[in-house]
Amino acid sequence: MLQAVALQDPVQDDQANFNAVVNALAGQGWCVIPDFMPPEQWQPLAAEAKQLYAAGEFRLARVGHGDAAKVRPDVRTDRVRWIDPLEATPLQQAYLERMEALRLFINGELSTGLFDFEGHFALYPKGCFYRRHLDRFADAKHRAVSCIQYLNEDWKPEDGGNLRIYLPDGKGKETYTDIQPIGGSAVIFLSDQFHHMVMPSKRERLSLTGWFCKRR
Ligand code: OGA
Ligand code: MN
């Protein structure tokens, strides 16, 4: 008897999503990919993040880079837990492998010279925010492409916590677009081009945030 064929082909889906990312990076410089990660991948990652948080493994996020980095509750109040490739769980390993595949794909299509990837879980407890900023540090310009993978079940507009990305309006001024942190969706943008902020979140908000970096 014939076996049922899987409806979704992960390789095909990746191809379409990866192409969309490359086209966006070469064009407007940013994109939202609604189904970047299927629920069977992001839901267990969300559960793992919550366990790590409950175990006290997250730290107040800092602003700045290297020795100058400091906790600035006036700027951001999220908590982060870096992903250590040497101690990654199988789920985190699968995420890192996927980002590695995307890195190689972007490099092949755009000759961008993305050299490596760094990423962390980010958890915004209720009421937390991250004020307007650019992901590229003034004193360390290695971050080239920002990738935010959302891990939130049933996000509703009234939950707040939108990512607001500021965009040129084409007439020398700026406008913005607001993106809900819906589980499975990802936002990818050129780190040095787009100011952005996380609006105050009215419920716990989870993501996996990472950056493709150039050689330091
Ligand atoms: C960041 C950031 C945005 C988001 O961590 O630098 O801007 O939507 N995150 O979580
Ligand atoms: Mn940012």
Side-chain angles (χ1 to χ4, degrees):
M1 214 171 95
L2 282 174
Q3 293 288 312
V5 178
L7 284 175
Q8 279 193 314
D9 177 341
V11 176
Q12 283 296 327
D13 287 354
D14 261 6
Q15 196 60 43
N17 282 335
F18 284 14
N19 275 320
V21 171
V22 161
N23 289 336
L25 292 179
Q28 64 178 4
W30 68 280
C31 60
V32 183
I33 310 283
D35 292 306
F36 193 70
M37 208 186 261
E40 58 271 23
Q41 269 174 40
W42 73 259
Q43 287 169 340
L45 275 165
E48 200 166 273
K50 286 177 191 175
Q51 276 166 17
L52 289 167
Y53 186 65
E57 290 239 7
F58 280 60
R59 296 279 172 273
L60 266 169
R62 293 162 186 237
V63 176
H65 177 70
D67 292 342
K70 30 178 190 301
V71 172
R72 287 277 309 273
D74 53 326
V75 177
R76 69 186 296 191
T77 52
D78 57 319
R79 278 76 164 158
V80 302
R81 202 280 197 173
W82 285 91
I83 297 194
D84 179 347
L86 298 178
E87 292 183 8
T89 63
L91 285 169
Q92 294 166 19
Q93 194 63 47
Y95 165 73
L96 291 177
E97 280 167 17
R98 181 108 187 286
M99 298 318 276
E100 178 63 6
L102 178 57
R103 183 183 76 82
L104 295 174
F105 186 77
I106 296 173
N107 278 348
E109 298 289 313
L110 299 178
S111 312
T112 29
L114 302 177
F115 179 65
D116 64 6
F117 179 81
E118 59 183 15
H120 59 56
F121 285 112
L123 186 145
Y124 290 69
K126 189 176 175 184
C128 290
F129 58 84
Y130 190 168
R131 288 199 195 287
R132 178 174 170 142
H133 66 280
L134 210 52
D135 282 352
R136 180 168 284 193
F137 304 114
D139 61 340
K141 305 191 189 305
H142 53 278
R143 286 183 175 173
V145 177
S146 303
C147 304
I148 307 157
Q149 174 68 57
Y150 295 114
L151 306 175
N152 302 298
E153 198 79 58
D154 293 330
W155 199 267
K156 303 204 175 54
E158 57 269 28
D159 295 329
N162 285 339
L163 171 65
R164 176 165 292 181
I165 301 192
Y166 294 89
L167 307 167
D169 74 348
K171 298 177 212 142
K173 294 219 172 93
E174 79 174 9
T175 175
Y176 60 76
T177 187
D178 282 354
I179 297 157
Q180 290 185 68
I182 295 171
S185 67
V187 178
I188 299 177
F189 58 91
L190 296 172
S191 303
D192 63 339
Q193 300 277 309
F194 300 97
H195 283 86
H196 55 281
M197 70 182 283
V198 178
M199 310 296 286
S201 190
K202 294 181 185 160
R203 58 172 261 210
E204 189 176 277
R205 176 193 196 271
L206 259 183
S207 62
L208 253 174
T209 299
W211 296 271
F212 293 115
C213 301
K214 301 207 170 175
R215 224 179 251 277
R216 290 168 208 217

